[in-house]
Amino acid sequence: MAVSRRVFVATAAALAATGATGPALAAATARVQDPRYRIPVSPDDTEADLVRKASQVRPTARQIAWQRLERTAFLHFGVNTFTGLEWGTGDEDPDVFQPAGLDTDQWARALRDGGFKLAILTVKHHDGFVLHQTRYTNHSVASSSWRDGRGDVLRSFADSMRRHGIKVGVYISPADENQYLHGVYANGSARTDRTVPTLVEGDDRTPPRSYTLPGTDYGAHILNQLYEVLTEYGPIDEVWFDGAQGRIPPDKVEKYDWDSWYALVRSLAPDAVIAVSGPDVRWVGNEGGLAREDEWSVVPVQEKDYGRTDYALAYDAPDMGSRDALVKARPVADHLQWWPAECDVSIRDGWFYHADQQPKSVEQLTDIYFRSVGRNSVLLLNIPPDTDGLLPAADVARLREFRERVDRELPQDLARDARTTAAPDRVTVDLGREREVDRIRLAEDIRHGQQVESFVVEAQRDGAWTEVTRAGAIGASRIMLLAAPVRARRWRVRVTGSRAAARLVDFGLYRSQV
């Protein structure tokens, strides 16, 4: 890095003092927290250079905390719930939104009992209908007769989740069909300095601090909504942007003000990860909840469209971070970045509630768990509330059954109190007596990066070490399912390929009870 940490600290402090918060502050803040989160690369780098740089990339504290969540929830809720659409039009009558029995405590209890640690609400989907009392659009709960126009789903949601020990996330769609109808979205306006928050008639706020950020007309609209959400509803732990453009014509594509949006989130919610059109968390590339067999958190990226972190390879490339992938991305990559995968999937066929759909089976959900959490990713499972404002009884039961099934798949770790010895390239566990094992869980200490490229697990049988299973990347979590139980007293994992010194913090051995 050509610029010292001291210069970055001074730059961040100077910008913050002036109130002119912008992309420079966001960049400075990221590097001050951990200058190794993102390392520049060049087309002239050799494979050895790329591998060495990849071994030096480290996650930020917010990314480490996010990775530990493992199971997170999505709640798609809005006018689509009542129109039966998956993608709204933006011209819906707000009065169609009538969740007469809304009970967000019921949501929170169901998610807690299902083992979820964070929940994300669709505060605004592509139709532009907003679930909080916003000052910046009439397409919101304030324009519905529900609760006499005083209802606030986000307020109720955030309070309920925190009351039940669940972190709070917000989904704010970059696309907004309603603003397109009003000529704000994709109107081709220039980026100019905007003051946030922009006070409106009757606005009684006295903001302790305002921000001057570059934005289009629509970019400023989003900045003001972000300001409301991030200052009036308590701590937010994840801000979720997708990359949708809506139904606007191809020649009117809106270039989103990602740099300004990121900067505002960083200032108002410094502990929140920004996903998946964001610098902290990436979309895994499918909506089936499935990670790659070898999922890397260190991946090549390129910066596009006003600071957006984007894929250097295709978003659904079968290989995102191996040596071959690093070399393949070399001509276009700007950086190697810690950008872990989030696996989103809905418990039903649709993202919004439809009465004729049923939840996935426990077997399907368990398979998704092992192919997401078990492959160095975080699972984001959508459970859509119904037209009464409740999670359907069948879905609630399925969540509890899912948690119970995972608990039976991975009961008490047999190696938890076992004698363990470690060497530079291996960990050996002595269980004290022969035990049957059919589930194996490994984890690297990702504070020191992701290093393991291949490994083998062996059991000592009849005095000789015998291979039980082998695989590639590990990262924060790798779970292997054995086709049949293996009985042995002594077990070991050997790292057979690594970018730098590997640090394993988990070598768990389990006998499933299913």
Side-chain angles (χ1 to χ4, degrees):
M1 305 285 267
V3 184
S4 71
R5 181 179 185 277
R6 181 178 299 174
V7 172
F8 275 124
V9 172
T11 302
L15 283 169
T18 64
T21 308
L25 177 56
T29 301
R31 288 170 172 82
V32 168
Q33 289 177 338
D34 192 335
R36 298 169 297 175
Y37 147 80
R38 202 173 191 226
I39 294 179
V41 292
S42 159
D44 297 326
D45 284 338
T46 66
E47 178 180 323
D49 292 332
L50 294 170
V51 172
R52 174 178 52 81
K53 289 181 177 182
S55 74
Q56 297 169 345
V57 177
R58 302 290 185 268
T60 63
R62 70 173 71 88
Q63 289 174 315
I64 293 173
W66 172 85
Q67 191 85 52
R68 289 173 179 158
L69 296 173
E70 294 195 353
R71 276 174 277 184
T72 60
F74 229 163
L75 294 120
H76 276 63
F77 191 50
V79 288
N80 291 349
T81 307
F82 300 87
T83 63
L85 299 177
E86 282 287 305
W87 193 309
T89 58
D91 58 359
E92 298 88 356
D93 180 350
D95 211 39
V96 73
F97 187 78
Q98 295 289 338
L102 180 73
D103 185 351
T104 53
D105 278 327
Q106 185 250 7
W107 302 3
R109 288 191 300 271
L111 297 179
R112 179 200 61 198
D113 293 347
F116 293 86
K117 299 176 183 176
L118 177 146
I120 301 170
L121 176 67
T122 54
V123 177
K124 187 194 77 166
H125 204 252
H126 311 323
D127 48 73
F129 187 81
V130 178
L131 296 184
H132 72 280
Q133 291 284 326
T134 181
R135 301 164 179 82
Y136 298 99
T137 178
N138 292 325
H139 203 50
S140 78
V141 288
S143 297
S144 169
S145 62
W146 173 66
R147 295 187 177 175
D148 297 323
R150 294 191 295 271
D152 194 320
V153 180
L154 177 56
R155 175 83 60 203
S156 180
F157 166 79
D159 291 348
S160 293
M161 294 302 144
R162 295 192 189 103
R163 194 156 45 238
H164 290 83
I166 298 173
K167 294 179 180 294
V168 175
V170 292
Y171 167 111
I172 298 176
S173 168
D176 191 323
E177 300 286 355
N178 182 261
Q179 291 303 306
Y180 183 53
L181 295 174
H182 297 296
V184 177
Y185 175 51
N187 66 1
S189 65
R191 273 172 43 111
T192 60
D193 284 347
R194 313 286 178 144
T195 299
V196 181
T198 305
L199 301 184
V200 299
E201 185 178 353
D203 201 330
D204 59 358
R205 288 177 294 176
T206 54
R209 178 177 171 191
S210 62
Y211 299 82
T212 301
L213 295 159
T216 63
D217 291 346
Y218 180 64
H221 175 78
I222 292 290
L223 284 168
N224 279 302
Q225 288 193 332
L226 277 170
Y227 187 92
E228 289 178 320
V229 169
L230 298 179
T231 59
E232 298 176 18
Y233 292 88
I236 301 299
D237 297 284
E238 184 164 346
V239 177
W240 212 96
F241 298 121
D242 62 22
Q245 276 289 339
R247 295 186 178 86
I248 61 176
D251 62 336
K252 291 185 177 294
V253 169
E254 177 88 27
K255 288 209 170 191
Y256 299 130
D257 295 311
W258 297 110
D259 49 3
S260 296
W261 298 355
Y262 295 165
L264 190 65
V265 174
R266 285 287 188 255
S267 181
L268 296 177
D271 295 328
V273 295
I274 306 176
V276 290
S277 285
D280 297 319
V281 175
R282 66 179 160 89
W283 180 42
V284 74
N286 64 76
E287 293 185 341
L290 307 179
R292 297 161 182 82
E293 181 72 27
D294 291 319
E295 194 67 72
W296 286 93
S297 294
V298 180
V299 298
V301 302
Q302 56 182 325
E303 196 169 281
K304 290 184 177 178
D305 297 335
Y306 307 125
R308 176 184 178 180
T309 300
D310 206 349
Y311 305 87
L313 299 171
Y315 68 86
D316 57 353
D319 177 7
M320 192 64 77
S322 73
R323 291 177 183 239
D324 289 344
L326 299 182
V327 171
K328 186 176 181 180
R330 182 169 49 191
V332 297
D334 304 320
H335 296 82
L336 296 181
Q337 181 166 315
W338 193 275
W339 207 27
E342 183 176 72
C343 298
D344 61 332
V345 63
S346 185
I347 196 169
R348 294 174 172 234
D349 290 341
W351 290 93
F352 287 89
Y353 173 78
H354 304 280
D356 60 347
Q357 296 179 357
Q358 293 300 313
K360 290 178 169 60
S361 68
V362 172
E363 289 72 22
Q364 288 174 297
L365 293 175
T366 305
D367 179 63
I368 289 170
Y369 172 86
F370 283 124
R371 296 169 71 182
S372 55
V373 175
R375 292 180 177 176
N376 188 38
S377 302
V378 169
L379 171 61
L380 177 59
L381 180 65
N382 178 63
I383 309 98
D386 64 19
T387 53
D388 289 326
L390 299 171
L391 297 187
D395 299 41
V396 172
R398 193 55 41 82
L399 292 179
R400 184 179 61 253
E401 293 163 357
F402 174 40
R403 189 214 72 221
E404 292 170 348
R405 174 63 177 268
V406 171
D407 289 346
R408 292 197 304 273
E409 291 276 358
L410 298 168
Q412 181 177 338
D413 179 7
L414 302 176
R416 185 179 59 181
D417 298 319
R419 189 184 347 167
T420 302
T421 56
D425 63 345
R426 72 173 61 86
V427 175
T428 303
V429 169
D430 186 338
L431 299 179
R433 63 183 177 88
E434 288 190 346
R435 305 291 294 270
E436 282 192 343
V437 169
D438 63 354
R439 305 283 186 264
I440 300 168
R441 183 165 193 164
L442 298 170
E444 293 181 69
D445 185 345
I446 60 172
R447 294 176 301 173
H448 302 280
Q450 185 180 5
Q451 309 296 355
V452 177
E453 295 175 299
S454 60
F455 66 91
V456 59
V457 177
E458 300 166 320
Q460 193 175 61
R461 308 179 72 187
D462 299 326
W465 287 104
T466 303
E467 179 178 322
V468 173
T469 188
R470 64 171 58 229
I474 295 179
S477 175
R478 185 70 187 252
I479 305 173
M480 282 78 63
L481 311 182
L482 304 185
V486 174
R487 187 174 185 85
R489 170 178 169 171
R490 300 186 72 217
W491 294 76
R492 75 181 183 191
V493 55
R494 286 192 300 111
V495 175
T496 55
S498 187
R499 294 175 173 177
R503 304 193 188 202
L504 298 182
V505 291
D506 190 11
F507 180 22
L509 303 172
Y510 304 85
R511 177 63 169 97
S512 64
Q513 298 173 359
V514 294

